[in-house]
Amino acid sequence: MSAEIAQIDWTHPWYDAVRPAFDSLDPGVPFIAGFNANAARLGLQNHRGQPIRFVPQAELPPNTAYEEFIGATGCVPTRENLHDFFNGLVWQTFPLIKRELNALQAAQIAQAGVGKSRGPARDAATIFDENAALLVLRDADTGRALAEGLRAHRWHDTLFVQRALFGAGGGAEVWLFGHALMEKLVAPRKAITAHTRVLFAPAAWFGLPWEDRRAWIDMQVAGQLCTEGLATSAFTPLPVLGVPGWWPGQDETFYLDDTVFRPKRADKNANQGGKHD
């Protein structure tokens, strides 16, 4: 596993969200032991108030769903691979969001069973858990216009023309959440795309220290999940290497590559009064 972790280039900005959790690990102990030390220090809990513990995958009982087991015991089955390594880092970074996602998934399993299909709510929670990015925008006309531009797939205008908005103090920040997304980005490809959830923050948020910004995101999104639930309509696609400043060579031609920065598809139900994406 140490060889796989060594493949991670922590200088890439898409790992900014979980890098502090990684830096806090004791390099002299196995990573699951390090995760458990951090979980105890941070007081991580599941929605039943049980302490979060990272356990070997073999402790997941046969015929028991992964999410159900976490919800019932607080134990997170963890394999010796990058996928579960990033999952543990996300638990340590956004514990309230992870708790609410697990509560939602466990409730859906209790209601409908595992089955061949997850159902819309559980499917949305799984997409969020695996592949989400969180885009925090200034709660102002510029932020709302940027969100609308992304939803309309006006990539050139939002990511190239308005690239100065992204980054420190600019009014737009991207924080990765999905652990499968982080795993894919160990070997970055231009086509890797996140399911992105947009948050609007007051202007003062962008001047806060990193830890305060992280805690605000964690509390804000967890609260929304608790009160509003989740649906796939909450996401908009975002090619991760298109985030301004996240990849070299982001000239105008970079964003005109319509094999990656695809135009928005017409809604096939539009003529029947159907709801747009």
Side-chain angles (χ1 to χ4, degrees), residues 9 12 16 27 37 43 64 71 76 82 84 114 120 158 161 165 170 176 188 190 192 220 237 248 251 253 273 275:
D9 185 348
H12 285 313
D16 285 353
T64 301
V76 181
L82 284 177
D84 287 6
V114 178
T158 55
V161 176
L165 294 178
L176 294 199
K190 189 176 180 181
I192 293 174
Q220 189 78 5
D251 58 11
T253 303
K275 185 178 179 181

Side-chain angles (χ1 to χ4, degrees), residues 119-239:
R122 191 172 166 220
D123 187 47
T126 300
I127 290 171
F128 193 118
D129 200 28
E130 298 279 349
N131 204 58
L134 303 168
L135 172 59
V136 186
L137 298 174
R138 191 187 306 273
D139 190 4
D141 289 346
T142 53
R144 286 184 285 275
L146 196 69
E148 287 305 311
L150 287 174
R151 291 185 181 117
H153 295 193
R154 294 195 293 268
W155 309 113
H156 176 269
D157 290 344
T158 55
L159 299 177
F160 181 71
V161 176
Q162 300 184 76
R163 60 192 180 278
L165 294 178
F166 289 82
E173 287 191 12
V174 179
W175 294 58
L176 294 199
F177 180 89
H179 55 281
L181 178 62
M182 295 179 192
E183 180 189 15
K184 286 185 284 188
L185 283 162
V186 171
R189 294 177 291 105
K190 189 176 180 181
I192 293 174
T193 299
H195 289 76
T196 305
R197 184 182 180 97
V198 175
L199 301 170
F200 291 100
W205 180 88
F206 294 89
L208 293 175
W210 181 91
E211 173 58 25
D212 292 341
R213 300 202 310 281
R214 181 212 59 80
W216 183 91
I217 292 172
D218 197 27
M219 185 176 297
Q220 189 78 5
V221 175
Q224 292 172 356
L225 294 176
C226 183
T227 59
E228 303 169 11
L230 188 62
T232 54
S233 59
F235 306 119
T236 189
L238 176 63

